[in-house]
Amino acid sequence: MVRFENVEIRYRGKEAILTDVSFDLGEGNFHFLTGKSGAGKSSLLKAIYMGMSPSKGRINLFGRDISSITNKDIPEIRRRMGIVFQDFRLINNLTVRENVALPLKIFGTKSSIIRRHVPELLEWVGLGDHLDNLPPSLSGGQQQRVAIARAVIARPVLLLADEPTGNVDDTIADRLLYLFKELHRTGTNILIATHNENLLKKFNYPVLRIEDRQLLLSD
Amino acid sequence: MKMLKLAGSNFFLGWIMASMIYLALLAILFSIVSTLSFDKWSNATRDLVTIHVPNPTKGTGSDDGVTRIDETLKILRAFPDIESVTILEKNDIERLINPLIEKDILKNILLPALIEIRLKRNEVLPDLNNALKNLSPDIFIEDHVELFSPDAKTFLGAKKLFSVIVSLTLFVAMISVIFTVHSGLAINREIIHVMHLIGAKNSFIARTFQKHVLKVLSISSVFATLLAIGTFFILESSLRVAFFGDVEIDIFKQINLWDWTIFMLVPVSYPLLGIIVVGVSVLILLRNQN
């Protein structure tokens, strides 16, 4: 599903963040991605969702080499992913309900389905009372849950989450992880970037660890 | 779902479009009215000529005391393709000449006789002219179509001007739409980026813009149309005689379905063209950004 071969990631004119990264996430995986702050976790996720191109090496997504993917094909690839951004990237002039409904709208889902599913999911992440609120009126943790709901609403094949529990308390964090587990059980592949060591211990999934610009796989 | 921030540009675009549609509608209305006036004037003057007979009471030289006017009328009666003959009264002639000559001079000159005739067909005019010239070389025919040809040229010029005004309004309207799209894309760059990351195609973003713009243009269009119709009702009495002087037209009776269709094309076509331009502009600008 996601395969990196000797990938180097660097921003223009800067030193490489990651070098010689190789890994293969096949079907049915749930991985944590960890490393110190600034180690390159977000950049690695960015490379997966084609937010940036590798300076060296090859990335293969859903069986396609990304260097062969045209701009026209990118939306179709991204529709198979759900992304939880570290800074949430919610649309501030849309309500919580509308933000979460956005992927379904973009994919052309029927309004009746959207009307049914969105409140259900928001109820599940504990935001049933905030359907018509605008994101700026919510706390950081609530915004994070909206971002997670938006990422998972369309049942993506691959979920990329960048510090999804960074702004929530342990109870909510556990709840969100159970949501991810449930999604994984129903076929979604998951890669969560986190520096929360407690989470790694609590949920016993394989860990990709970034150390000294290298990626190490540990159980 | 108002996902894009376009309030500022909506306000700008709304007023520009309303102004342009209003101007275009007035130009079209004036064009329709001037065409109606021209048609009426053209029908009234078609095949109409005036014969000038100087010294009408002067004898022709024969012994039976026949005057030049009698002889002229005799020729006219003998002509088969003349529909009607009207000898203008002295008062009418004076009224016609009055603007050209001072009153004192008018009293002291011998006025020509003016005979207005309507021909069944204009082709006989050269034969009629020859017949009258044979009677006397100073008798001449004035064709009304030629007489008022400067007016006709002015009319054609005005019609072109109205077309230019409509074209200009359309141009300004569409440039404003492109400007709105350009600024809209810049203002909403972050939102569009998020939409792209979620998997939105450029066509989805273009449709989102189109929905916003269609709403603004529709409101502007309705507003401008009502304003133009209101203006037209206020100016209607002046417009009846605005073109070709004394040719008065009954505008509401004479405007036909085709005229109304052309009129209604503006408030319908501007928004439609607008959303096409929006769609194309968004696609081109986003493609260039990628």
Side-chain angles (χ1 to χ4, degrees):
Chain A
M1 177 165 299
V2 180
R3 195 169 71 240
F4 275 45
E5 291 175 30
N6 311 110
V7 169
E8 181 188 271
I9 294 173
R10 70 164 74 224
Y11 290 95
R12 194 174 292 170
K14 299 265 176 75
E15 205 179 330
I17 299 167
L18 296 167
T19 55
D20 204 23
V21 173
S22 298
F23 67 89
D24 191 350
L25 299 180
E27 294 280 342
N29 274 291
F30 190 134
H31 279 81
F32 283 114
L33 173 66
T34 192
K36 287 178 186 165
S37 186
K41 301 187 292 293
S42 299
S43 299
L44 192 140
L45 294 183
K46 205 171 176 181
I48 296 175
Y49 64 71
M50 293 175 289
M52 65 187 297
S53 302
S55 46
K56 278 184 193 165
R58 292 159 70 95
I59 299 176
N60 195 293
L61 286 175
F62 306 109
R64 290 184 67 177
D65 188 328
I66 64 161
S67 62
S68 70
I69 296 172
T70 61
N71 282 339
K72 207 178 160 190
D73 296 332
I74 289 176
E76 291 304 331
I77 304 277
R78 283 187 178 148
R79 285 176 186 203
R80 299 166 80 175
M81 302 179 191
I83 310 165
V84 182
F85 302 98
Q86 195 171 9
D87 55 358
F88 321 136
R89 300 205 185 175
L90 299 175
I91 296 174
N92 286 338
N93 45 322
L94 295 185
T95 63
V96 166
R97 185 205 304 265
E98 289 168 337
N99 263 288
V100 175
L102 187 57
L104 298 179
K105 282 257 178 195
I106 288 172
F107 304 167
T109 309
K110 280 184 183 172
S111 299
S112 57
I113 296 172
I114 296 175
R115 276 198 300 273
R116 199 170 61 243
H117 280 295
V118 172
E120 270 175 17
L121 180 60
L122 282 168
E123 189 70 45
W124 209 92
V125 296
L127 291 170
D129 296 334
H130 298 84
L131 295 178
D132 297 316
N133 288 25
L134 293 173
S137 69
L138 303 178
S139 69
Q142 287 171 324
Q143 289 189 35
Q144 195 155 34
R145 280 180 276 158
V146 177
I148 292 168
R150 186 181 66 184
V152 304
I153 187 78
R155 296 277 174 143
V157 179
L158 173 64
L159 179 73
L160 304 172
D162 197 356
E163 301 285 0
T165 57
N167 290 283
V168 293
D169 58 35
D170 286 349
T171 316
I172 296 287
D174 285 356
R175 197 180 171 123
L176 291 175
L177 258 295
Y178 282 115
L179 169 65
F180 292 150
K181 275 177 82 173
E182 183 61 22
L183 277 169
H184 178 236
R185 200 180 57 78
T186 56
T188 299
N189 300 276
I190 294 172
L191 179 60
I192 296 174
T194 181
H195 62 266
N196 186 339
E197 290 291 335
N198 289 336
L199 211 62
L200 305 183
K201 285 175 194 159
K202 204 167 184 177
F203 294 90
N204 194 24
Y205 286 114
V207 176
L208 298 168
R209 191 176 294 277
I210 299 173
E211 275 182 20
D212 299 327
R213 296 186 286 168
Q214 300 283 315
L215 190 75
L216 313 166
L217 179 64
S218 58
D219 290 330
Chain B
M1 211 191 255
K2 286 182 181 175
M3 56 188 89
L4 300 173
K5 292 173 189 168
L6 292 169
S9 51
N10 279 355
F11 183 77
F12 159 80
L13 184 65
W15 279 110
I16 289 278
M17 286 303 280
S19 310
M20 292 305 114
I21 292 171
Y22 176 69
L23 279 176
L25 285 173
L26 284 190
I28 283 178
L29 278 172
F30 288 157
S31 177
I32 290 170
V33 171
S34 69
T35 304
L36 292 176
S37 300
F38 180 77
D39 288 347
K40 190 168 182 184
W41 170 81
S42 184
N43 285 333
T45 55
R46 187 178 299 136
D47 301 330
L48 194 69
V49 297
T50 302
I51 298 168
H52 291 243
V53 185
N55 302 318
T57 52
K58 192 180 165 189
T60 56
S62 60
D63 294 337
D64 51 4
V66 174
T67 60
R68 284 153 62 90
I69 185 78
D70 294 336
E71 198 60 33
T72 305
L73 290 171
K74 196 176 162 189
I75 292 170
L76 294 178
R77 276 188 215 108
F79 242 82
D81 288 309
I82 291 176
E83 196 177 290
S84 65
V85 176
T86 310
I87 304 167
L88 296 188
E89 297 292 329
K90 192 174 179 248
N91 289 344
D92 292 331
I93 298 169
E94 281 178 354
R95 189 172 55 83
L96 284 170
I97 296 177
N98 201 19
L100 307 170
I101 299 172
E102 282 180 33
K103 272 186 181 174
D104 296 342
I105 300 172
L106 197 61
K107 280 178 194 167
N108 299 322
I109 59 168
L110 186 61
L111 291 171
L114 296 181
I115 307 165
E116 203 170 78
I117 61 168
R118 185 170 291 278
L119 300 166
K120 285 179 185 164
R121 53 194 190 93
N122 208 262
E123 289 73 25
V124 298
L125 204 54
D127 292 340
L128 180 63
N129 195 34
N130 287 338
L132 292 172
K133 289 285 177 199
N134 285 337
L135 174 66
S136 172
D138 60 351
I139 297 175
F140 67 95
I141 298 174
E142 202 168 51
D143 190 344
H144 284 216
V145 173
E146 282 174 24
L147 187 65
F148 294 108
S149 68
D151 287 352
K153 279 179 187 164
T154 308
F155 160 78
L156 291 171
K159 222 176 166 191
K160 276 181 193 162
L161 181 68
F162 292 138
S163 306
V164 169
I165 290 171
V166 174
S167 307
L168 275 177
T169 59
L170 187 62
F171 177 74
V172 172
M174 294 309 125
I175 289 290
S176 306
V177 166
I178 292 170
F179 175 77
T180 304
V181 167
H182 211 279
S183 63
L185 285 174
I187 291 165
N188 293 283
R189 214 172 74 171
E190 274 303 307
I191 293 172
I192 290 166
H193 184 55
V194 171
M195 286 160 80
H196 274 145
L197 291 176
I198 291 172
K201 293 179 180 174
N202 288 345
S203 56
F204 176 84
I205 293 160
R207 276 202 304 280
T208 308
F209 267 86
Q210 283 176 318
K211 281 178 195 165
H212 278 279
V213 170
L214 180 63
K215 197 175 166 189
V216 175
L217 297 196
S218 301
I219 294 168
S220 303
S221 222
V222 170
F223 176 74
T225 308
L226 293 176
L227 200 63
I229 291 173
T231 309
F232 184 58
F233 270 95
I234 291 167
L235 297 179
E236 194 263 340
S237 57
S238 319
L239 287 173
R240 281 167 172 258
V241 288
F243 303 92
F244 301 106
D246 54 352
V247 179
E248 187 171 344
I249 53 164
D250 188 344
I251 296 171
F252 292 110
K253 261 190 185 169
Q254 285 181 254
I255 287 185
N256 59 29
L257 188 64
W258 174 245
D259 296 327
W260 283 120
T261 307
I262 291 172
F263 177 79
M264 287 313 293
L265 265 178
V266 170
V268 173
S269 63
Y270 275 51
L272 286 180
L273 273 173
I275 59 166
I276 290 170
V277 170
V278 167
V280 173
S281 307
V282 171
L283 290 177
I284 291 172
L285 291 169
L286 286 179
R287 194 181 62 194
N288 291 343
Q289 277 178 16
N290 287 337

